[in-house]
Amino acid sequence: MDVATMIGIGIAVGAWFVSVILEGGNPASILLLPPMIIVIGGTIGVTMATGLMKDASAAVKALPRAFAGKAVDPEASIGVVVAFAETARREGLLALEEAAKSVEDPFLRKGIELAVDGTDPEELREILEAEIHSKKQEDKVASKFFGDMGGFSPTLGIIGTVMGLIHVLENLSDPDKLGPLIAGAFVATLWGVFAANVFWLPISKKLTRLGDLEAKQMELMLEGVLSVQAGANPRIVEQKLLSYLAPGERPEPSDRAA
């Protein structure tokens, strides 16, 4: 589990509350229910209105992933592919049929199964590339939903502030109420900007980052499957797949026999 998002949001929220306290304020004065309802509820509502119901459902399902999602481990996957390449080179592709059933990665398992079934290399590439494209499109839905929330939230905050100021104007005859009413009106703007930049946009960016890593992993596995199907030397397969990783992410190539 990658806790960067939880830690980052925790630091941001903590810094916000500490700054309020250091300025002599009361954090409870910010936790006003009416501004929070118009900002959070309104943001969710208008974002849902821009898409389909299944988009909102996808965003809800993806939310835990933003906080607890685990980055893929390309090194482990490369090791699996290289092991398949060794087996295929010694015993042939059909020897991978049983081994493929134990592969946890559904994309890699599907690729190996198609290769074992004798799928034409070009057709195999087209099928797996279509899988990658579908995965990218699926990931964009949740990321875009939270990104849109980040765009709408400040505007809803301004609307909440305008509503509060209207209430202020209704009470000009009572000067004692003006201070708290004006302060409460601007809390909506605060929540709109805060929620956008501390919650919605970071979540959107995290989902985009995880999706990019997973897509890169799938592209790497695609090349690995095609190399296994072609009967390539395991050492060459390993070096080829490692070249897809950033230099700082590459382990030392293992000492494999040709």
Side-chain angles (χ1 to χ4, degrees):
M1 181 174 70
D2 190 303
V3 296
T5 300
M6 286 190 288
I7 292 174
I9 291 178
I11 291 173
V13 173
W16 181 37
F17 274 93
V18 169
S19 67
V20 171
I21 293 172
L22 290 178
E23 290 179 351
N26 181 4
S29 64
I30 300 172
L31 302 176
L32 300 179
L33 192 57
M36 294 172 69
I37 290 175
I38 185 62
V39 171
I40 297 176
T43 298
I44 293 173
V46 295
T47 305
M48 289 180 63
T50 64
L52 304 175
M53 195 64 201
K54 65 178 182 180
D55 298 340
S57 299
V60 172
K61 292 178 182 177
L63 186 57
R65 182 165 163 255
F67 290 94
K70 182 180 179 181
V72 293
D73 181 9
E75 184 178 349
S77 298
I78 289 174
V80 172
V81 173
V82 173
F84 281 151
E86 291 175 334
T87 302
R89 192 171 174 84
R90 288 196 310 265
E91 305 172 29
L93 274 176
L94 291 178
L96 302 179
E97 187 171 6
E98 286 301 319
K101 296 178 182 179
S102 63
V103 177
E104 294 183 4
D105 185 339
F107 180 78
L108 178 57
R109 181 171 62 249
K110 180 175 183 177
I112 294 295
E113 289 174 348
L114 288 171
V116 170
D117 289 342
T119 307
D120 181 79
E122 287 301 318
E123 291 182 350
L124 178 57
R125 177 180 288 277
E126 289 177 3
I127 292 171
L128 296 184
E129 284 181 344
E131 289 278 348
I132 295 172
H133 177 73
S134 297
K135 179 66 168 59
K136 289 180 178 179
Q137 295 302 115
E138 181 183 43
D139 289 339
K140 284 181 179 179
V141 172
S143 175
K144 181 179 182 300
F145 189 91
F146 288 107
D148 289 345
M149 289 183 69
F152 288 126
S153 183
T155 304
L156 267 295
I158 293 173
I159 292 174
T161 295
V162 172
M163 291 173 59
L165 292 176
I166 291 173
H167 191 45
V168 169
L169 295 176
E170 292 174 346
N171 291 271
L172 289 178
S173 59
D174 190 349
D176 292 338
K177 294 183 179 180
L178 294 183
L181 287 175
I182 293 173
F186 283 102
V187 168
T189 297
L190 174 62
W191 269 106
V193 176
F194 182 83
N197 291 280
V198 176
F199 296 112
W200 312 136
L201 293 178
I203 289 172
S204 174
K205 296 293 184 183
K206 178 63 174 289
L207 292 175
T208 299
R209 175 63 172 154
L210 288 175
D212 289 343
L213 289 174
E214 291 172 359
K216 180 180 177 181
Q217 170 83 348
M218 294 171 76
E219 291 167 355
L220 186 148
M221 291 298 97
L222 165 61
E223 297 301 327
V225 169
L226 292 173
S227 297
V228 170
Q229 185 185 42
N233 185 311
R235 186 185 304 236
I236 300 301
V237 173
E238 182 179 38
Q239 292 179 348
K240 179 180 180 180
L241 297 184
L242 288 176
S243 69
Y244 281 83
L245 305 181
E249 299 176 349
R250 298 174 191 171
E252 290 296 325
S254 58
D255 184 17
R256 301 184 185 278

